[in-house]
Structure formats: structure tokens, C-alpha cells
Amino acid sequence: MSVYSMTGYAAVQSNTAGSPAETDSVADTSARLGVEIRSVNSRFLDLAFRLPDELRQAEPALRELLTAKLKRGKVELRVSLDSNSASNLRAPSSVTLQRLGSLEDSIKSWLPHASALSVADVLRIATNEDNKPHDYSEELLKLSKKALKELLAAREREGARLKQMLQDRTGQLRALSALAVPMVPKLVEQQKSRFLERWKEAMALSDSATLPEIAQDRALTEATAFAIRIDVAEEITRLASHLDEIDRLLESGGELGKRLDFLIQELHREANTLGSKSASLELTRISVDMKVLIEQIREQVQNIE
């Protein structure tokens, strides 16, 4: 499966036409329907709809469409409907005109001084009588499916970029771990020699010609305690294990953002421990470099679904 980012954008438009109410209409109901979907990162799936009043009834179907394909992210779906002004005018049907004429004659028989119907009056009444609002729900759903498909493709492309970046960072962390491993034995040996030198100096001040065996044993004990205190083998092993799991998740794909977020916290903990056990400037620098890389990973993982 692919790795999907929560960041994406898609916009599609379509000209749609409705059937005229009567066969003698002079124009069809045509309009430009547009669907725009934006998504950014979020802990959960947060949907927002911006629909024209005449399309409010389509929101449940649109919500079902999005929740079937998206699992996380702050998603906004915006719909625009631009009707052509000329298409709103139709020739009144013959049935409507006959009814209006009959009603006008009936009214004038009772009210002879009543004003005659004007063309504007006829068009207004005919519009209310004949021109029923066109239902764009079907066209909107088709267009939204197309926009959603493009959004998923955009999120997949961004996810592929994030995957490559994360794998590059995990590779750098492995390289830093490899540098840290041989440093500990060297530090222990250096500290052992330092302890022995100090004991020799101390015994020289006490007019002792040779270093007693007990003094040497004490130096070795101190060196052993120091080795235990600075041993980072366990941290390096756990860090490598977390990196293996991150690489495995990236290869498997799917919904992995929350699991990656947990692993990043564990990586940060191991890097902190490595720094706290540091007994040399080089090891401290490695710990700092690790934390910088882990922070870069954490920022990008926030965008993965």
C-alpha cells in the first residue's frame, strides 16, 4: 500500500444542463458546477462543507463519500454553482398562458378597471409556475467523486515524497548509531588508564615505590563502574529496533501516522538517554545530531495519514 499525506488539493468543474419544463421552452437550465477539496493535517477526520443553499440536501451523501476514502485530516469541500442568467428565462408554456388569459378575463368581468397583465407580470408568474429548480445532486456527486480521486492522487504523491524523506533520515540515524558504537570501548579504556595514572600519582606522593595490587584492583573497579555508567549499547539496540519498525511501516503503507508518531517519541527518548550518558564531546554531538534528525522526522510524520 502507498503512504498518504494528509495535505492535498483538488478542483474540478463541469457544465451541467437540466431538462426544460416544457417542450416549447426557449432555453435549457445550464450552469457551471465546481467542486474544490482542500485537506491539511489533523489528528482526526474533520470535515467541513461549503455548499450553496440549493445543494444543502446533498451534504449527507458527500459526507458518506469522503468518510469512505479518508481517515484523517482537516478536509473542506467547497461547491460553487454559477447559473447563466439567460438560461433562467423560458418561454411560458401554452397551458400557463391559457390559464393566465382565462383568469384575466374572469377578473375583468368583475373588476373592469383592473390593469391588464404586463409582459413582466406574465414572465414572473410563469417562472414561479413552470420553472421548477433543477436538482443537481446527481451531477454534484459524480463531480465530487472525480475531485476526491484527484485529491487522493495528490495525497499519494505527497506521501511518496514524505516516505523518501523519512527513509533518508532513518538512514542518517543509523549512520550516527554506527559512529557511537565503537566510542564506548575506547572511552572505557581511556578512563581505565586515567584511573591507573591517578593511583600511581597518589602512591608516588605516599613514597611507595610500586603500585600495590589493591590499588590496581580499585582502579579496575572504578573503570568497570564507569563502563556500566556510560554503556549505551542498550539504547543503540532499541534505537535500531525502532528504526527497523519505522522502515517496515513505510514499506507496508496504509494508515500509519499515529504509529509513527509513537515511534518518534521512543526515538527521542533513546537519543536523550544517549546524551545523558555521554562521556565525551563526540558522543554528545552525535546525540544532538540525532535529536535534530528525529525532530525533522516528527514534523513530517504529522502530515502522514
Side-chain angles (χ1 to χ4, degrees):
M1 295 180 64
S2 300
V3 175
Y4 287 89
S5 169
M6 285 185 283
T7 303
Y9 174 82
V12 294
Q13 286 189 340
S14 174
N15 286 324
T16 180
S19 300
E22 300 292 342
T23 57
D24 57 350
S25 298
V26 297
D28 293 339
T29 55
S30 62
R32 180 178 293 275
L33 189 63
V35 175
E36 180 181 347
I37 308 180
R38 303 172 182 268
S39 69
V40 294
N41 61 314
S42 176
R43 292 184 61 190
F44 308 101
L45 182 59
D46 182 10
L47 302 179
F49 297 89
R50 304 289 183 266
L51 307 177
D53 291 338
E54 56 267 38
L55 295 175
R56 288 291 180 187
Q57 73 278 3
E59 181 173 329
L62 294 174
R63 184 177 296 275
E64 183 178 355
L65 175 67
L66 295 182
T67 53
K69 296 294 184 179
L70 305 175
K71 303 305 178 185
R72 292 180 65 198
K74 183 179 179 61
V75 182
E76 179 184 85
L77 187 147
R78 187 182 297 271
V79 178
S80 61
L81 180 61
D82 299 326
S83 300
N84 296 324
S85 58
S87 67
N88 292 329
L89 297 178
R90 297 183 190 171
S93 66
S94 57
V95 174
T96 300
L97 291 176
Q98 289 174 0
R99 290 180 60 192
L100 288 175
S102 176
L103 287 172
E104 184 179 27
D105 291 341
S106 175
I107 292 172
K108 283 188 175 183
S109 66
W110 288 94
L111 301 171
H113 300 293
S115 301
L117 287 172
S118 66
V119 174
D121 293 333
V122 173
L123 289 175
R124 184 176 66 254
I125 296 171
T127 299
N128 294 333
E129 181 70 17
D130 289 338
N131 295 1
K132 296 180 181 179
H134 178 65
D135 185 3
Y136 293 98
S137 299
E138 184 176 351
E139 293 94 329
L140 174 59
L141 192 58
K142 289 181 181 179
L143 203 61
S144 297
K145 288 180 180 178
K146 182 179 179 182
L148 179 58
K149 183 178 180 180
E150 292 188 8
L151 176 72
L152 291 173
R155 287 168 60 133
E156 184 177 9
R157 290 193 298 270
E158 178 65 13
R161 187 190 68 80
L162 291 175
K163 175 182 176 180
Q164 183 178 5
M165 189 280 293
L166 292 176
Q167 289 177 331
D168 175 71
R169 297 301 186 275
T170 57
Q172 293 184 47
L173 284 172
R174 291 181 190 279
L176 289 173
S177 297
L179 291 176
V181 170
M183 287 186 179
V184 174
K186 292 180 180 179
L187 290 172
V188 173
E189 188 62 31
Q190 290 175 3
Q191 192 67 13
K192 176 183 175 182
S193 300
R194 191 176 298 115
F195 284 142
L196 290 173
E197 289 296 328
R198 289 178 180 175
W199 278 107
K200 288 179 181 179
E201 292 175 0
M203 296 307 297
L205 292 176
S206 61
D207 297 330
S208 176
T210 60
L211 178 65
E213 183 177 351
I214 188 172
Q216 186 172 4
D217 290 342
R218 179 64 183 274
L220 293 175
T221 301
E222 292 290 340
T224 302
F226 174 78
I228 295 174
R229 189 166 63 252
I230 69 168
D231 184 22
V232 294
E234 186 176 352
E235 287 74 16
I236 295 296
T237 300
R238 285 198 297 263
L239 192 142
S241 176
H242 297 328
L243 292 175
D244 289 340
E245 181 64 11
I246 289 174
D247 288 339
R248 187 191 70 80
L249 289 174
L250 291 174
E251 289 300 328
S252 62
E255 302 169 36
L256 47 88
K258 292 183 178 179
R259 284 178 288 177
L260 285 177
D261 190 55
F262 171 77
L263 289 170
I264 300 309
Q265 296 178 31
E266 295 301 308
L267 284 178
H268 204 278
R269 182 178 293 110
E270 302 305 333
N272 276 334
T273 305
L274 186 68
S276 65
K277 287 186 174 183
S278 173
S280 69
L281 183 59
E282 291 79 6
L283 201 57
T284 300
R285 287 174 177 171
I286 288 177
S287 173
V288 171
D289 290 342
M290 280 184 172
K291 286 189 278 189
V292 170
L293 289 171
I294 292 170
E295 182 62 22
Q296 292 175 357
I297 294 175
R298 187 193 66 79
E299 291 177 356
Q300 298 304 320
V301 164
Q302 302 303 312
N303 294 319
I304 293 181
E305 186 176 50

